[in-house]
Amino acid sequence: MRQWSWFILVAVLLSAGARAQISPDTTYSLEGVEVRTDRKSTVPAGNTLDFIYLSKSALLKNQGNTFINTLEKLPGISSINTGVGISKPVIRGLSLNRVIVNEYGIKQEGQQWGVDHGLEIDQFNVDQVEVLKGPVSLLYGADGIGGVINILPPLIPEKNTFGGEALVNYKSNNDLFGASLRLQQNTNDFYTIVRATWQDYASYRVPTDEFTYNSYQLPIYNRRLKNTAGREHSISVLNGIRRDWGHSNLYISNYNQHAGFFTGAFGVPRAYQLADDGKPRSIGLPYQTINHLKIVSNTHFHFHRNILEVDLGYQHNRRQELSLPHAHGNGPAPEGNLALQLDLHTLTGNVRYKFHPLEAWEVITGVSLQHQENIRDGYEFLIPGYKVTQGGVYVFSEYKITDRFLVSGGARADAADQRADRSYVRLYNDDGALTGVQQRSPQILRQYVNGSGSLGIAWTLADAWKLKTNAGSAYRIPAMVELTANGVHHGTFRHEMGDSSLRAERGYMLDAGLYFRKGRVKADVTPYLNYFTNYIYLRPSAKFSSLPEAGQVYLYTQAQALFTGFESNIDIEVTSLLNNRLSFEYVWNRNLDTRVPLPFTPPFSVLNEIEYKPAFFRPWLRELFFALSGQYFAAQRRVDVNEPETDGYFLLHFSAGNTFPAGKRKISLFAQVRNITNTRYLNNMSRYRILNLPEQGINTQIILRYEL
């Protein structure tokens, strides 16, 4: 705490900091607003929403272990991590099926209910991102209760050009080597963009030699978490055409990840399993393989100021967990090591029409449809196979009453159908003879119909002040895992049990934003309040599973719940060379039925970042920068019953970079040193904290990018 206080005090006194620009219309970038006329934003023109935009260079300068980790410097954004290669987004304390990640207009579908199921997206293939917080589910679907992360298509190459980029990446902590190559061509506005990425990393290092599990002291040899190595590779092709009538493209991508789980993550950790094998890059049991195939078509027709958008998508997500059998069923030891396989097939269709009845009036109306089929395999049982069909229709309108006052509102109707057969496991005696069957999940045949709405305003109070506020209702059907789960969820160290009687989730949401911008000072504060009549969550119980080595039992349940909190930024540009950004974020929640906090809540945090850009006039030094940032995370004592607490900690980071001219091309070099002091800490949002495993220690990262 003393170290954090000293850092913040010095930073404020120096009035130094990051080059983050926060404008009154909330278009925000970690390095500055970037305006392009061909940027295909999904946000309505007037923008009453809490909205952040990130450019390609901002993403490279702040790149984390995963795409979601890169976004964590944004206020209100955090992540649930499993090791260093798997993360899921959290927005204002809401996550999993309450946060939508769209890529090219299609919602990413990849078992997002699981915290150990990573986001299957190549982070080098992300050129521009929109992040929306608050009541936005009306426009983007019922799963957008927490917010939406929109990955936009890349900017179209200039007509009759050929180019691309080559990029290499290195991280010292887990000896990661990566490379990404992009080639692009535009011939008479027929264009093709191809991207291929590869990464290979060893088991990562932690700043400790031991950890405690159930009162047992267990070793960590060479300060590496054994079997946390991994490999990733992906390839994508984007073909498109741009004409006066509009624009159309076809996007095909395939992402593959092969990643180990810490050896003690499946079953009870034992000392003999942790012995060093001298092969930090090897991946042994237990591990997971994920392959995600995506085919997306985007077509935009322009009719004067009106636009018709049609997005179609198919996704096949295959996730396999492999481990030595633990006899978690009711039968003899199975053959093979395939513990769990989930094949998820998803068809998606979205149609939106934007038109202007009047000059100051924009209307967006649309329809969205989705059909999913999930097929399971493997000797473990967690969820059954199922089918889900859902769709929605909506209308959203913005009206500019005066130059200083904008009002927006809309309504949405959704319907869904869920189906799953009863699932059984076989029972055997000690001799291996079949004695019967046991039902593990019920039959599901449910239909839902519901409506929701929203209302918002944007009001310029004075030249330097702007106010935004949005109110809305939100609606989400229970995920199939919440209704039917009954088995061991390895990697999360628990036995999860669903409840087929859960009702659809209903929320009422209110957020506001006050923005100030004058001269070299930019600031904002954005409080919010969310109330749920029947919030669904995974509650840690006091029971342990009857299945061997299955861990604690977690129950899907629902209750009245309240979420509130705020984000705030203060951005001061002292001179053209020296800048300071100070940001705060806080989430407070409560189960109104039990009067205790809800589990898996991010702690209060403060970030201060100092950036200095020397005034060199030589061409090869004009974009040089140095940045120092410190982030304090408070202790999290507001936890659910049977959920462990975590202590506070302070992290210090350094980064630098420059873009060098190379003839008509450019070479960019970015360097980061994360956790400079090699601090040992437990991340409240990490699944490995259940094992008292600390997070990654000091890590140096270098990215070299060359424009072809």
Side-chain angles (χ1 to χ4, degrees):
M1 181 71 176
R2 183 179 303 169
Q3 187 181 22
W4 162 74
S5 302
W6 173 87
F7 181 82
I8 298 299
L9 177 62
V10 171
V12 172
L13 290 175
L14 289 175
S15 298
R19 252 207 194 277
Q21 303 292 322
I22 306 174
S23 65
D25 62 358
T26 68
T27 301
Y28 164 68
S29 168
L30 293 176
E31 60 143 17
V33 176
E34 190 170 292
V35 179
R36 292 288 296 264
T37 57
D38 55 350
R39 180 178 138 214
K40 306 301 180 184
S41 174
T42 66
V43 179
N47 185 16
T48 63
L49 304 172
D50 189 350
F51 165 66
I52 297 170
Y53 170 71
L54 296 178
S55 66
K56 173 72 171 182
S57 54
L59 295 167
L60 283 175
K61 282 177 63 174
N62 297 277
Q63 190 182 91
N65 287 317
T66 66
F67 165 61
I68 297 303
N69 294 143
T70 300
L71 303 182
E72 287 188 287
K73 288 179 72 173
L74 300 176
I77 310 297
S78 54
S79 67
I80 300 175
N81 301 304
T82 303
V84 298
I86 301 171
S87 62
K88 304 299 282 285
V90 180
I91 299 180
R92 293 178 171 176
L94 301 174
S95 60
L96 306 178
N97 289 78
R98 297 180 185 88
V99 173
I100 292 176
V101 177
N102 285 327
E103 186 178 30
Y104 297 11
I106 296 297
K107 176 186 169 187
Q108 179 83 1
E109 291 286 357
Q111 313 291 352
Q112 58 262 39
W113 49 266
V115 297
D116 58 328
H117 307 168
L119 191 65
E120 304 87 2
I121 289 176
D122 174 11
Q123 62 180 323
F124 294 116
N125 199 34
V126 179
D127 279 12
Q128 45 182 352
V129 180
E130 296 173 338
V131 180
L132 295 97
K133 297 176 285 185
V136 297
S137 58
L138 185 146
L139 280 170
Y140 298 96
D143 285 356
I145 291 178
V148 176
I149 298 171
N150 284 320
I151 299 173
L152 304 179
L155 301 175
I156 298 173
E158 294 183 10
K159 190 174 181 178
N160 297 324
T161 61
F162 173 83
E165 67 174 12
L167 186 149
V168 292
N169 187 28
Y170 168 74
K171 297 177 183 178
S172 65
N173 181 277
N174 58 349
D175 305 315
L176 180 146
F177 292 95
S180 186
L181 177 66
R182 168 174 163 166
L183 299 175
Q184 61 186 39
Q185 179 174 341
N186 184 325
T187 303
N188 295 322
D189 274 342
F190 286 93
Y191 62 89
T192 299
I193 302 175
V194 179
R195 165 82 70 175
T197 298
W198 163 86
Q199 291 194 103
D200 186 290
Y201 52 92
S203 295
Y204 69 92
R205 298 176 177 90
V206 293
T208 186
D209 297 307
E210 61 184 12
F211 69 103
T212 303
Y213 180 75
N214 281 351
S215 301
Y216 290 97
Q217 291 292 120
L218 296 170
I220 300 177
Y221 294 98
N222 298 322
R223 297 199 163 192
R224 287 187 188 264
L225 288 188
K226 185 179 179 180
N227 202 47
T228 56
R231 293 187 293 272
E232 300 176 14
H233 61 266
S234 65
I235 187 168
S236 65
V237 179
L238 177 67
N239 284 294
I241 180 174
R242 177 171 55 184
R243 288 291 184 263
D244 291 339
W245 52 261
H247 157 243
S248 182
N249 63 45
L250 179 66
Y251 174 69
I252 302 174
S253 69
N254 193 81
Y255 173 94
N256 184 275
Q257 182 187 61
H258 181 61
F261 284 113
F262 176 59
T263 304
F266 281 38
V268 176
R270 295 177 174 87
Y272 72 86
Q273 296 174 314
L274 307 177
D276 183 21
D277 59 5
K279 300 176 181 178
R281 304 192 88 85
S282 66
I283 304 173
L285 297 172
Y287 65 85
Q288 70 173 3
T289 60
I290 299 175
N291 196 85
H292 193 97
L293 171 67
K294 179 182 291 184
I295 303 173
V296 175
S297 169
N298 307 116
T299 303
H300 297 177
F301 298 98
H302 297 170
F303 309 99
H304 302 291
R305 293 186 61 197
N306 304 335
I307 300 176
L308 175 65
E309 301 175 351
V310 180
D311 300 323
L312 303 173
Y314 166 74
Q315 299 173 75
H316 177 204
N317 183 277
R318 168 172 286 187
R319 182 176 190 274
Q320 294 178 317
E321 287 183 2
L322 292 94
S323 69
L324 293 172
H326 287 268
H328 285 317
N330 293 288
E335 295 182 2
N337 296 318
L338 181 60
L340 183 66
Q341 177 173 303
L342 299 173
D343 276 286
L344 181 64
H345 299 265
T346 305
L347 289 170
T348 306
N350 300 317
V351 179
R352 303 204 311 177
Y353 184 59
K354 302 178 182 180
F355 61 98
H356 295 78
L358 298 172
E359 180 69 22
W361 185 12
E362 181 183 53
V363 178
I364 303 174
T365 184
V367 58
S368 57
L369 298 169
Q370 185 182 83
H371 176 75
Q372 287 187 314
E373 183 171 357
N374 196 59
I375 304 168
R376 63 163 297 274
D377 195 4
Y379 61 79
E380 298 276 13
F381 180 88
L382 180 58
I383 60 173
Y386 62 80
K387 296 180 180 180
V388 177
T389 303
Q390 53 188 327
V393 294
Y394 62 90
V395 59
F396 183 86
S397 178
E398 284 190 342
Y399 187 75
K400 190 175 183 180
I401 298 175
T402 71
D403 288 341
R404 290 179 174 269
F405 193 82
L406 177 77
V407 62
S408 68
R412 181 183 180 100
D414 287 281
D417 179 273
Q418 293 177 319
R419 298 172 185 267
D421 293 331
R422 294 182 180 89
S423 296
Y424 299 88
V425 296
R426 296 178 179 180
L427 302 176
Y428 299 82
N429 61 23
D430 294 338
D431 297 328
L434 179 66
T435 61
V437 294
Q438 179 188 64
Q439 182 175 321
R440 290 289 286 273
S441 68
Q443 182 184 36
I444 299 294
L445 182 58
R446 300 179 66 170
Q447 290 81 36
Y448 309 83
V449 178
N450 196 77
S452 55
S454 71
L455 180 66
I457 65 169
W459 184 12
T460 302
L461 303 174
D463 291 340
W465 294 90
K466 190 169 186 176
L467 173 68
K468 290 186 182 185
T469 184
N470 286 275
S473 60
Y475 171 83
R476 183 181 72 88
I477 67 173
M480 289 298 284
V481 65
E482 296 166 339
L483 298 172
T484 62
N486 188 6
V488 184
H489 193 174
H490 285 306
T492 62
F493 325 109
R494 60 194 182 214
H495 181 153
E496 296 180 4
M497 297 187 68
D499 183 349
S500 61
S501 67
L502 294 175
R503 295 169 294 151
E505 195 171 80
R506 165 65 74 181
Y508 301 92
M509 317 181 77
L510 175 67
D511 75 355
L514 183 62
Y515 305 88
F516 174 82
R517 181 172 185 173
K518 187 173 183 179
R520 295 179 175 180
V521 178
K522 305 174 184 70
D524 68 70
V525 59
T526 53
Y528 57 89
L529 177 68
N530 302 331
Y531 167 68
F532 296 90
T533 58
N534 41 12
Y535 181 80
I536 302 172
Y537 71 102
L538 195 56
R539 177 175 62 86
S541 75
K543 299 179 180 179
F544 282 83
S545 174
S546 60
L547 301 177
E549 299 190 9
Q552 190 176 356
V553 175
Y554 280 64
L555 306 172
Y556 281 103
T557 186
Q558 61 187 168
Q560 293 186 83
L562 184 69
F563 281 76
T564 187
F566 71 93
E567 298 105 37
S568 181
N569 291 273
I570 302 171
D571 200 285
I572 303 173
E573 184 179 357
V574 181
T575 71
S576 60
L577 310 179
L578 200 58
N579 299 267
N580 181 73
R581 180 168 72 96
L582 180 64
S583 66
F584 307 82
E585 58 181 272
Y586 178 61
V587 177
W588 186 96
N589 59 36
R590 190 168 191 176
N591 183 324
L592 299 179
D593 292 344
T594 63
R595 299 301 196 186
V596 298
L598 291 160
F600 315 125
T601 302
F604 170 75
S605 67
V606 181
L607 170 68
N608 200 94
E609 192 168 36
I610 302 169
E611 183 175 276
Y612 175 61
K613 301 191 76 172
F616 289 112
F617 297 101
R618 295 175 182 175
W620 49 278
L621 288 177
R622 284 178 182 169
E623 298 185 47
L624 180 66
F625 74 91
F626 302 96
L628 181 68
S629 65
Q631 190 163 16
Y632 170 72
F633 293 86
Q636 184 55 283
R637 308 301 184 201
R638 301 193 73 259
V639 296
D640 197 0
V641 179
N642 304 309
E643 183 187 17
E645 298 179 350
T646 50
D647 295 329
Y649 53 92
F650 174 84
L651 300 177
L652 193 64
H653 314 297
F654 173 79
S655 61
N658 189 34
T659 297
F660 305 88
K664 295 182 180 181
R665 305 301 179 189
K666 294 181 179 179
I667 298 175
S668 298
L669 177 65
F670 301 102
Q672 292 187 60
V673 184
R674 309 283 298 176
N675 191 7
I676 294 174
T677 57
N678 205 31
T679 299
R680 183 187 187 278
Y681 66 98
L682 297 179
N683 183 351
N684 183 71
M685 304 301 289
S686 171
R687 294 306 88 211
Y688 282 170
R689 78 170 173 138
I690 302 298
L691 297 178
N692 291 311
L693 288 171
E695 294 301 296
Q696 195 175 35
I698 186 171
N699 185 25
T700 300
Q701 174 175 298
I702 298 174
I703 298 176
L704 182 65
R705 176 177 178 263
Y706 174 65
E707 288 188 3
L708 301 178

